[in-house]
């Protein structure tokens, strides 16, 4: 398995080796030793596992949990293809406002580690794209917030006609969320 640090401090892409043969293939989608070497700690205790299925053109995010300790995620795409985004929303972070993207697909078996305090979004590139999440805490609706995917200051490569939920359509820009004190703080 290969690990690659993304442009956002603390976020990692993991790409396992795939072993095909005449029967099909074998892949280890998570390897603790590689994860620990890259991230510097074992995988967080998993409090919730969730799945979303999206049709082509659906965009979800930029989602984050406001209250400390936030919510860490380990994300992969088990069907279809998505363009996955990690955005640094941590006020005071050296990479605040920086984002990076990884194409996740059922063919590549790539996964992304998203530490607490970072925003997460994706654009479904195929129908029935299925994104699976391991999360460090359960869903807490009062603490789950969003920043606009279409914020021109973020400049995510997102089509203006991406299908979004009402919650995502009315989400504030990064500057407005920061001014309102809605963003997580960075702790070194």
């Amino acid at each position: 398995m290969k690990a690659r640090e993304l442009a956002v401090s603390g976020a990692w892409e993991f790409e396992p080796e795939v072993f095909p043969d005449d029967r099909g293939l074998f892949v280890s989608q998570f390897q603790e030793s590689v994860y620990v070497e890259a991230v510097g700690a074992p995988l967080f205790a998993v409090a919730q596992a969730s799945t979303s299925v999206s049709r082509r053109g659906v965009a979800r995010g930029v989602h984050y949990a406001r209250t400390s300790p936030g919510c860490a995620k380990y994300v992969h795409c088990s069907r279809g293809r998505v363009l996955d985004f990690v955005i640094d929303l941590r006020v005071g972070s050296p990479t605040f406002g920086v984002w990076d993207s990884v194409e996740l697909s059922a063919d590549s078996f790539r996964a992304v580690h998203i530490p607490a305090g970072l925003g997460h979004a994706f654009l479904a590139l195929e129908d029935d794209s299925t994104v699976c999440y391991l999360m460090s805490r359960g869903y807490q609706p009062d603490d789950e917030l969003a920043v606009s995917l279409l914020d021109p200051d973020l400049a995510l490569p997102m089509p203006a006609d991406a299908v979004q939920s009402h919650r995502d359509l009315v989400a504030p820009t990064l500057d407005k969320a920061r001014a309102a004190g809605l963003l997580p703080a960075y702790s070194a």
Side-chain angles (χ1 to χ4, degrees):
M1 175 172 280
K2 292 185 271 183
R4 178 179 70 90
E5 188 167 22
L6 299 178
V8 176
S9 177
W12 288 84
E13 170 192 11
F14 294 92
E15 184 172 6
E17 189 172 357
V18 179
F19 300 95
D21 64 23
D22 60 342
R23 301 168 295 162
L25 62 84
F26 178 84
V27 63
S28 295
Q29 291 176 277
F30 178 80
Q31 295 176 358
E32 183 180 35
S33 62
V34 176
Y35 181 92
V36 169
E37 184 176 335
V39 176
L43 183 66
F44 49 82
V46 176
Q48 184 171 319
S50 298
T51 301
S52 66
V53 179
S54 303
R55 64 183 166 92
R56 184 177 189 268
V58 166
R60 297 182 188 259
V62 174
H63 299 153
Y64 67 99
R66 172 179 45 177
T67 304
S68 183
C71 182
K73 299 175 182 174
Y74 191 81
V75 179
H76 76 279
C77 181
S78 64
R79 181 177 182 179
R81 273 184 327 124
V82 300
L83 186 57
D84 197 80
F85 296 93
V86 179
I87 304 95
D88 195 343
L89 304 178
R90 303 168 297 185
V91 175
S93 167
T95 57
F96 178 77
V98 172
W99 60 269
D100 204 346
S101 64
V102 175
E103 185 175 297
L104 303 178
S105 71
D107 296 330
S108 73
F109 298 98
R110 286 186 199 101
V112 176
H113 163 74
I114 306 162
L118 299 185
H120 178 245
F122 69 84
L123 174 65
L125 302 174
E126 294 180 3
D127 284 338
D128 297 322
S129 289
T130 304
V131 176
C132 303
Y133 314 77
L134 297 178
M135 297 178 292
S136 64
R137 72 178 211 180
Y139 180 69
Q140 298 175 10
D142 293 340
D143 198 37
E144 303 293 325
L145 301 177
V147 169
S148 175
L149 275 168
L150 302 177
D151 181 343
D153 289 335
L154 286 178
L156 297 173
M158 192 64 57
D161 64 347
V163 178
Q164 298 181 64
S165 69
H166 175 72
R167 169 188 172 208
D168 292 345
L169 284 170
V170 300
T173 63
L174 184 62
D175 281 344
K176 287 182 180 177
R178 183 180 190 176
L182 298 175
L183 298 177
Y186 176 74
S187 58

